[in-house]
Amino acid sequence: MTSRLNLIVLGKQGAGKGTQSAVLCEKYAIPHVSTGDILRNAVKAGSELGKKVASILEAGDLVSDDIVNQLVEERFKEADAQRGVLLDGFPRTIGQAEALEAMLGDDGIKLCINLDVPIELVTQRLSSRRVCQECGTTYRDSDVEAISGTCSNCGGDVIQRTDDYPEAIRTRLMNYERDTEPLLSFYGSRGLLVSVNGDQSPADVTDEIMKVVHERGLA
Ligand code: AMP
């Protein structure tokens, strides 16, 4: 079997993970696996899982490792994941990173890309973020779509995510520092970490990432 291109995009909330993930998945033809999207969809669909995690997501707290590990393990079994995946928002704790190593075995993570952005900038990005409830297109609070409340892409409602309210932003960034930042040393010690300056244009960030992927002979 050819080697799988398994990538992780790591970074604080609002660092641009979603934007970079979408572009990289298209370039490398691998699926975008975002545990945040999977969980939000479950809440929207009102499934058993959704009911269990709704209040956790709203507060900006972390869902248990057991739940997310199982979601990811299931996702890996799908046909489109056999060439590799781009993980966005997972792993978020050392426990999840260890579970991921066990799931992937020898053909494991090839690169962990850390989007480095100062906390002041991500706080500002998150508090001005608005999102279409239907198609997920993101806007700034000053965009006409945010002011009118209507998405120009699909006509859906443009709202502020409850986890982008100030109190939830504080909780999420605190959780990041406590639970997720240790992953930098986890992947650094395995020689898999690359940090990219996320405070530049999205196209420049993508170029920097692709250069590293190329230099490492990954694609
Ligand atoms: P995100 O869109 O990645 O910021 O995720 C939104 C929310 O989903 C987070 O604030 C958590 O409540 C939950 N979540 C997403 N991914 C994970 C994960 N790997 N572990 C625990 N909770 C998660």
Side-chain angles (χ1 to χ4, degrees):
M1 190 176 61
T2 52
S3 175
R4 297 178 186 190
L5 183 60
N6 293 319
L7 304 176
I8 295 174
V9 176
L10 207 65
K12 295 183 193 78
Q13 293 81 357
K17 296 192 295 294
T19 306
Q20 290 305 320
S21 298
V23 180
L24 294 169
C25 284
E26 198 178 328
K27 301 245 186 232
Y28 298 125
I30 50 175
H32 178 193
V33 176
S34 154
T35 41
D37 284 349
I38 297 173
L39 292 164
R40 268 188 296 278
N41 287 336
V43 172
K44 213 166 136 193
S47 66
E48 277 310 305
L49 168 68
K51 286 182 200 145
K52 213 186 285 181
V53 300
S55 61
I56 303 176
L57 261 69
E58 189 157 332
D61 282 325
L62 288 185
V63 173
S64 77
D65 283 359
D66 284 352
I67 291 180
V68 281
N69 290 344
Q70 203 186 336
L71 288 176
V72 172
E73 192 156 21
E74 287 301 313
R75 185 66 184 83
F76 281 153
K77 292 182 189 153
E78 290 179 34
D80 65 345
Q82 304 315 308
R83 289 194 57 228
V85 291
L86 184 147
L87 293 168
D88 164 9
F90 180 92
R92 240 180 171 96
T93 64
I94 294 285
Q96 292 176 16
E98 285 168 350
L100 179 64
E101 280 193 334
M103 280 178 224
L104 292 173
D106 291 342
D107 203 10
I109 294 301
K110 303 295 159 41
L111 194 64
C112 175
I113 303 145
N114 174 42
L115 299 180
D116 198 14
V117 177
I119 197 150
E120 299 75 24
L121 183 59
V122 293
T123 305
Q124 190 220 321
R125 281 185 186 174
L126 290 173
S127 46
S128 66
R129 178 164 72 177
R130 300 293 181 271
V131 56
C132 171
Q133 259 184 319
E134 296 305 318
C135 70
T137 303
T138 54
Y139 297 101
R140 296 274 146 152
D141 55 357
S142 54
D143 291 338
V144 284
E145 290 87 349
I147 294 163
S148 69
T150 308
C151 177
S152 54
N153 197 28
C154 75
D157 289 341
V158 174
I159 55 139
Q160 181 171 31
R161 275 169 45 174
T162 47
D163 61 353
D164 282 342
Y165 291 169
E167 184 56 36
I169 291 176
R170 269 194 295 278
T171 305
R172 290 161 73 204
L173 291 172
M174 247 165 49
N175 288 343
Y176 181 85
E177 205 174 300
R178 186 193 59 208
D179 299 316
T180 311
E181 239 160 43
L183 294 181
L184 298 178
S185 340
F186 183 93
Y187 288 110
S189 68
R190 287 158 173 74
L192 294 172
L193 184 76
V194 56
S195 271
V196 171
N197 173 13
D199 186 9
Q200 47 181 342
S201 79
D204 287 345
V205 175
T206 308
D207 284 349
E208 233 182 270
I209 295 170
M210 290 185 69
K211 201 167 143 230
V212 179
V213 172
H214 181 73
E215 278 167 4
R216 296 200 175 199
L218 297 173

